């Protein structure tokens, strides 16, 4: 199942709303929902990546950097970057949770295989020579080395003055996929793309004056501006996208643009210039608040391969038994749409075309309780594309109500769970001090790693003398992920609630409802809510095998979601017994 739809089910009412698209740019890896090529015209090489695979380039933006994301993705950059280990390494990922494979490119005008191997043998990191593998560049020099506490397999190829070294962790479960990726690394005729880039450099295309970028742009977004909570309702105006929308008071915005300023009338103005539209196949905006989420995507017809968004509904229909086509109106412009979810909790993707570009608006977790708030938000959208304005129909004041038929929530009966208070498993205390929570997890802290957003498992989990860590999601880093465990597979994700208001009883009931129309998932075996010793409430939903469970806790600003797999039902109950000692109190408002 696509991860986007899994998250929509997991995070009911949080409004993370990950939306399927032709290409999805996340902080870190850029993934595409179809097989595609990744090409390096300056070197005349490239490789093929499967559906869902991602890449990370050394430098996403800057002077003399060209990144065109498409079925044939092209990347060019200033070759001076090869002199620095920080900027000469590419990363590839086959799935959201693999360890990844790296490709390091270095200059080597005088390569000699015998000398190269001899130098390797003298290195203190060297372990052994491995069997060569084949790619389109020939046979590799392959060897095993130690990096810190980890062991890596390296497969190096030489071509025309450059050494290409692929590396990944020894014994990786994705090893076969990594070998397939290396096997299809080959020479290509990319002269057309190389000449395009060289001409741009020659004629100063990358020297054109641009406004200063955000001080701390997130990796993975070419430009990104993170906003704090807005103090008052105000208009967000994006002139070069020919649109505006009114942000309700207290909402948070994440904008994929060049610069954000405030106009004389108090409106927020997002600057996206023509070069941005040429360089980026999509421009994003995420708006969140009051438990609602709106994702805006725009693709300009100025881009060489604009995204039409017309295939958005196909993925949802493969996942949900409850889905269908509808239409919705934005500022009088008719858009095609697809709804999916359950009769009482629905999500909607929509898309339409104007003379200048393609738009998509996606909203998630729509219910009879929040549809009026969504109607008000979507009714505030204004499209100023002249051609589109001439084709407008009569404006509909309640766009979602016109597009969807929602039912009241189906009654759900929770189970009375009996969770023992004592267990004999080894636990360690993990104070998540910033979010006001204390968890007891199996094993020791050294068994766990954490990551922010999609950087899974990058950093070891470190606790101070008070068993505390300050890692926490914020408006810039939407969620934090902790994973590890001894004799258990534990995933713990910390989310912002973005103003969501619900009881744990209602939250766990929505989780049950959301499972009813997912084709690939069984219903929960049992689910209920228990109270910890400090009075905090924890929802637990057991899978049918009773060896895995979903666990949820919340306070006024944060949600904790844990997934746990154990060897047996008895071992799973031992893990759940630690929830009695857990704490989760309210914190100062963000």
């Amino acid at each position: 199942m696509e991860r986007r739809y899994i998250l929509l089910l997991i995070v009911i009412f949080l409004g993370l709303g990950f939306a399927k698209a032709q290409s999805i740019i996340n902080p870190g890896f850029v993934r595409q929902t179809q097989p595609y090529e990744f090409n390096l015209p300056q070197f005349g090489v490239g490789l093929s990546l499967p559906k869902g695979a991602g890449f990370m380039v050394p430098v996403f933006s800057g002077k003399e950097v060209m990144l065109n994301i498409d079925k044939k993705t092209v990347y060019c950059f200033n070759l001076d970057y090869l002199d620095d280990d920080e900027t000469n390494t590419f990363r590839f990922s086959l799935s959201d949770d693999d360890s990844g494979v790296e490709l390091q490119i270095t200059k080597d005008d005088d390569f000699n295989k015998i000398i190269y191997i001899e130098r390797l043998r003298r290195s203190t990191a060297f372990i052994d020579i491995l069997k060569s593998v084949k790619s389109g560049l020939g046979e590799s020099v392959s060897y095993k080395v130690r990096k810190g506490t980890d062991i890596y397999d390296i497969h190096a190829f030489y071509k025309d003055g450059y050494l290409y070294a692929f590396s990944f962790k020894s014994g990786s479960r994705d090893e076969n996929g990594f070998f397939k990726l290396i096997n299809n690394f080959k020479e290509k005729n990319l002269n057309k793309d190389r000449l395009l880039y060289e001409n741009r450099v020659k004629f100063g295309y990358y020297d054109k004056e641009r406004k200063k970028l955000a001080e701390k742009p997130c990796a993975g977004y070419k430009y990104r501006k993170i906003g704090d909570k807005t103090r008052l309702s105000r208009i967000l105006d994006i002139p070069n996208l020919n649109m505006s929308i009114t942000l309700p008071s207290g909402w948070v915005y994440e904008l994929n643009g060049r610069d954000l300023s405030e106009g004389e009338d108090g409106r927020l103005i997002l600057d996206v210039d023509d070069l941005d539209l040429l360089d980026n196949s999509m421009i994003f905006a995420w708006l969140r608040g009051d438990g609602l989420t709106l994702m805006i995507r725009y693709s300009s017809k100025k881009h060489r391969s604009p995204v039409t968004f017309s295939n958005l509904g196909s993925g949802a229909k493969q996942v949900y038994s409850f889905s269908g086509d509808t239409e919705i109106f934005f500022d009088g412009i008719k858009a095609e749409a697809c709804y999916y979810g359950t009769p009482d909790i629905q999500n909607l993707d929509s898309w339409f075309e104007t003379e200048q570009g393609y738009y998509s608006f996606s909203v998630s977790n729509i219910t009879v309780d929040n549809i009026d708030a969504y109607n008000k938000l979507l009714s505030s959208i204004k499209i100023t594309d002249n051609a589109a304005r001439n084709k407008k129909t009569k404006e509909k004041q309640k766009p979602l109500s016109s597009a969807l038929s929602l039912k009241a929530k189906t009654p759900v009966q929770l189970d009375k769970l009996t969770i023992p208070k004592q267990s004999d498993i080894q636990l360690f205390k993990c104070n998540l001090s910033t979010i006001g929570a204390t968890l007891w997890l199996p094993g020791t802290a050294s068994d766990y790693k954490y990551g922010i957003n999609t950087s899974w498992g990058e950093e070891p989990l470190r606790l101070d003398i008070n068993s505390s860590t300050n890692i926490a999601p914020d408006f810039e880093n939407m969620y934090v992920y902790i994973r590890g465990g001894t004799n258990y597979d534990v995933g713990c994700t910390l989310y912002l609630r973005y103003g969501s208001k619900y009881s744990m009883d209602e939250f766990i009931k929505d989780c049950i409802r959301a499972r009813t129309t997912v084709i690939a998932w069984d219903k929960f075996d049992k689910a209920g809510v228990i109270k910890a010793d400090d009075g905090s409430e924890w929802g637990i939903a057991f899978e049918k095998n009773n060896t895995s469970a979903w666990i949820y806790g919340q306070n006024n600003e944060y949600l904790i979601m844990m997934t746990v797999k154990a060897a047996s039902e008895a071992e799973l109950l031992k893990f759940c017994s630690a929830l009695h000692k857990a704490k989760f109190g309210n914190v100062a408002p963000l």
Side-chain angles (χ1 to χ4, degrees):
M1 182 188 301
E2 292 191 33
R3 184 170 180 275
R4 179 253 176 132
Y5 300 113
I6 296 174
L7 279 177
L8 280 172
L9 292 172
I10 292 171
V11 196
I12 302 296
F13 291 157
L14 284 186
L16 294 181
F18 289 134
K20 181 179 177 184
Q22 191 76 10
S23 61
I24 303 169
I25 303 181
N26 289 322
F29 285 104
V30 177
R31 300 184 187 277
Q32 296 201 49
T33 57
Q34 59 185 348
Y36 62 104
E37 297 177 15
F38 181 83
N39 296 323
L40 299 168
Q42 292 157 289
F43 308 94
V45 297
L47 49 78
S48 300
L49 292 169
K51 173 182 176 181
F55 66 86
M56 187 187 298
V57 296
V59 182
F60 267 93
S61 64
K63 187 175 181 180
E64 298 183 13
V65 172
M66 181 175 81
L67 174 59
N68 293 328
I69 302 171
D70 199 0
K71 289 182 180 179
K72 292 185 178 181
T73 291
V74 172
Y75 180 72
C76 297
F77 61 119
N78 189 320
L79 295 184
D80 289 343
Y81 286 131
L82 295 181
D83 298 331
D84 189 337
D85 287 345
E86 295 294 323
T87 54
N88 66 2
T89 302
F90 298 78
R91 290 189 65 194
F92 300 96
S93 165
L94 299 179
S95 64
D96 282 337
D97 58 357
D98 67 13
S99 57
V101 56
E102 291 189 353
L103 166 61
Q104 186 177 45
I105 304 177
T106 53
K107 296 177 182 177
D108 194 335
D109 295 324
D110 190 28
F111 179 80
N112 183 294
K113 182 176 178 180
I114 295 175
I115 296 175
Y116 182 73
I117 293 175
E118 184 58 30
R119 285 176 177 168
L120 288 174
R121 293 183 184 278
R122 297 184 183 186
S123 168
T124 56
F126 176 79
I127 297 177
D128 198 5
I129 293 291
L130 299 175
K131 182 181 178 181
S132 296
V133 299
K134 287 185 178 181
S135 78
L137 270 61
E139 291 196 349
S140 67
V141 177
S142 299
Y143 51 97
K144 191 183 295 286
V145 298
R146 186 181 303 279
K147 295 182 182 180
T149 58
D150 295 318
I151 296 175
Y152 286 80
D153 293 350
I154 299 180
H155 304 278
F157 302 87
Y158 181 77
K159 173 185 177 288
D160 298 338
Y162 294 99
L163 189 68
Y164 304 88
F166 289 90
S167 64
F168 53 85
K169 285 186 179 180
S170 296
S172 169
R173 62 181 175 83
D174 298 290
E175 187 176 90
N176 289 337
F178 295 157
F179 277 128
K180 188 174 180 180
L181 183 149
I182 294 171
N183 293 153
N184 69 49
F185 183 62
K186 60 186 178 182
E187 294 185 60
K188 291 186 174 184
N189 184 353
L190 303 170
N191 289 334
K192 182 178 178 181
D193 292 308
R194 178 180 57 80
L195 288 172
L196 171 65
Y197 173 73
E198 290 176 352
N199 285 330
R200 283 185 171 186
V201 173
K202 179 179 178 180
F203 293 107
Y205 177 89
Y206 300 103
D207 297 327
K208 294 181 180 180
E209 184 177 351
R210 292 191 174 195
K211 292 187 178 181
K212 185 179 179 182
L213 306 183
E215 291 183 5
K216 296 182 180 179
C218 265
Y221 282 86
K222 191 160 189 182
Y223 312 103
R224 191 179 183 198
K225 177 77 176 182
I226 304 300
D228 203 344
K229 287 186 175 180
T230 53
R231 297 183 300 277
L232 300 169
S233 295
R234 59 204 309 185
I235 294 173
L236 170 65
D237 192 2
I238 316 177
N240 220 7
L241 271 59
N242 301 297
M243 70 159 292
S244 65
I245 183 172
T246 300
L247 297 181
S249 175
W251 275 51
V252 177
Y253 48 86
E254 295 180 62
L255 307 173
N256 180 203
R258 175 169 302 283
D259 188 41
L260 190 69
S261 58
E262 186 169 327
E264 292 183 0
D265 59 355
R267 71 178 56 206
L268 297 169
I269 302 173
L270 178 65
D271 178 35
V272 180
D273 71 16
D274 287 344
L275 287 179
D276 298 325
L277 300 179
L278 284 168
D279 287 345
N280 296 273
S281 60
M282 280 188 283
I283 302 295
F284 291 85
W286 296 75
L287 310 175
R288 299 183 180 88
D290 303 322
L292 312 181
T293 292
L294 168 64
M295 180 181 176
I296 301 170
R297 286 161 293 187
Y298 177 82
S299 184
S300 172
K301 290 183 178 179
K302 296 177 181 178
H303 191 270
R304 67 171 187 163
S305 299
V307 181
T308 66
F309 307 113
S310 58
N311 65 342
L312 279 180
S314 58
K317 292 175 182 177
Q318 295 173 27
V319 174
Y320 290 89
S321 61
F322 181 84
S323 61
D325 298 318
T326 184
E327 61 183 35
I328 186 171
F329 290 81
F330 298 103
D331 195 19
I333 301 172
K334 185 172 75 171
E336 296 181 73
C338 173
Y339 63 86
Y340 52 94
T342 67
D344 45 13
I345 305 174
Q346 296 180 30
N347 312 285
L348 183 133
D349 292 331
S350 62
W351 56 93
F352 62 91
E353 176 186 357
T354 70
E355 187 177 63
Q356 299 178 27
Y358 301 91
Y359 294 80
S360 171
F361 298 96
S362 295
V363 289
S364 56
N365 302 313
I366 311 156
T367 68
V368 292
D369 298 321
N370 64 25
I371 193 170
D372 286 342
Y374 267 130
N375 279 326
K376 184 177 180 181
L377 178 68
L378 298 182
S379 295
S380 75
I381 294 173
K382 303 299 177 186
I383 306 296
T384 58
D385 183 312
N386 289 331
R389 185 166 61 245
N390 293 336
K391 296 178 181 178
K392 287 181 183 178
T393 62
K394 185 177 179 181
E395 183 175 351
K396 295 183 181 293
Q397 296 299 319
K398 295 185 177 181
L400 267 186
S401 296
S402 303
L404 299 178
S405 177
L406 278 169
K407 295 184 178 180
K409 290 185 177 180
T410 307
V412 172
Q413 183 67 41
L414 295 181
D415 298 294
K416 186 175 181 179
L417 302 179
T418 302
I419 306 296
K421 283 207 167 190
Q422 301 294 328
S423 72
D424 56 2
I425 61 174
Q426 179 187 358
L427 301 168
F428 75 95
K429 185 179 182 181
C430 178
N431 286 327
L432 298 164
S433 52
T434 304
I435 72 169
T438 299
L439 300 177
W440 291 84
L441 300 174
T444 64
S446 62
D447 298 321
Y448 290 77
K449 291 185 177 181
Y450 80 92
I452 295 173
N453 291 347
T454 55
S455 299
W456 309 125
E458 296 292 331
E459 300 290 339
L461 180 63
R462 296 185 180 91
L463 303 178
D464 62 20
I465 57 174
N466 297 313
S467 301
S468 293
T469 177
N470 62 358
I471 59 174
D474 55 33
F475 294 132
E476 183 168 352
N477 300 303
M478 295 186 296
Y479 52 96
V480 174
Y481 186 78
I482 304 169
R483 184 160 192 168
T486 301
N487 300 324
Y488 292 88
D489 184 358
V490 181
C492 179
T493 313
L494 318 177
Y495 296 99
L496 287 176
R497 288 183 57 187
Y498 291 105
S500 303
K501 297 178 177 66
Y502 44 75
S503 67
M504 183 50 65
D505 268 29
E506 190 57 35
F507 181 89
I508 204 72
K509 287 177 181 178
D510 280 341
C511 292
I512 295 170
R513 292 183 183 103
R515 299 277 287 222
T516 58
T517 65
V518 179
I519 297 170
W521 282 6
D522 293 326
K523 295 179 180 180
F524 290 121
D525 182 68
K526 54 182 176 288
V529 177
I530 67 168
K531 267 194 176 181
D533 294 342
D534 74 329
S536 59
E537 293 186 327
W538 296 85
I540 310 175
F542 291 89
E543 299 282 5
K544 280 195 171 182
N545 56 22
N546 278 308
T547 60
S548 56
W550 302 76
I551 299 171
Y552 308 91
Q554 65 175 355
N555 64 8
N556 59 319
E557 294 288 353
Y558 300 97
L559 173 85
I560 293 177
M561 182 199 77
M562 286 190 281
T563 57
V564 186
K565 293 181 181 178
S568 65
E569 181 177 2
E571 293 299 316
L572 181 59
L573 288 174
K574 289 180 182 180
F575 176 92
C576 293
S577 69
L579 293 173
H580 289 293
K581 298 197 296 181
K583 297 180 180 180
F584 206 0
N586 286 342
V587 294
L590 297 177

